[in-house]
């Protein structure tokens, strides 16, 4: 569970870094639009900020989901290796390995 908490914190920090980098590079707003003062452009800029933040968050959640699945698959292989070393029954291990390979595919 500690690793999951670490992953969550890392993802939140990556999301925040993404948003900060967009603000610093000026991707969120163009100063010439602010000077013109057209109201609908300001509203569009706010919508753009929200959309970029939302899309970045969704993308990071998808990355987190893939990371979680990969961790589970890795844990399955580790558990299999532990059982093989513990039991030393290669006939059963071969059947379990075939089943594990099918799951991994």
């Amino acid at each position: 569970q500690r690793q999951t908490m670490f992953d969550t914190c890392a993802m939140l920090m990556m999301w925040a870094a993404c948003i900060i980098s967009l603000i610093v590079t000026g991707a969120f707003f163009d100063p010439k639009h602010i000077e013109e003062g057209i109201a609908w452009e300001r509203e569009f800029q706010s919508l753009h900020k929200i959309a970029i933040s939302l899309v970045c968050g969704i993308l990071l959640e998808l990355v987190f989901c893939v990371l979680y699945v990969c961790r589970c698959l890795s844990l399955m292989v580790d558990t299999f290796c532990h059982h093989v070393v513990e039991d030393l029954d290669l006939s059963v291990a071969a059947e379990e390995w075939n089943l594990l390979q099918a799951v991994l595919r």
Side-chain angles (χ1 to χ4, degrees):
Q1 186 171 4
R2 190 178 328 166
Q3 192 67 28
T4 304
M5 185 63 137
F6 175 76
D7 290 340
T8 303
C9 291
M11 289 296 166
L12 287 175
M13 288 187 335
M14 288 172 51
W15 180 75
C18 178
I19 300 303
I20 290 170
S21 70
L22 288 172
I23 291 171
V24 169
T25 60
F28 268 157
F29 64 91
D30 186 6
K32 71 176 183 177
H33 291 300
I34 294 173
E35 291 173 4
E36 291 175 3
I38 299 175
W40 67 270
E41 285 185 355
R42 280 191 230 134
E43 291 175 10
F44 180 73
Q45 289 170 359
S46 299
L47 182 62
H48 184 248
K49 291 177 188 179
I50 292 169
I52 291 288
S53 301
L54 185 65
V55 168
C56 287
I58 290 171
L59 180 63
L60 286 175
E61 287 299 319
L62 288 173
V63 169
F64 184 69
C65 182
V66 169
L67 178 66
Y68 185 75
V69 169
C70 289
R71 284 239 169 103
C72 290
L73 294 174
S74 176
L75 184 61
M76 289 173 66
V77 171
D78 289 344
T79 303
F80 169 78
C81 293
H82 178 71
H83 284 294
V84 168
V85 170
E86 194 175 85
D87 296 338
L88 295 176
D89 187 7
L90 295 180
S91 62
V92 174
E95 292 175 15
E96 288 181 3
W97 180 249
N98 287 335
L99 179 64
L100 183 60
Q101 277 184 327
V103 169
L104 292 175
R105 288 183 187 172

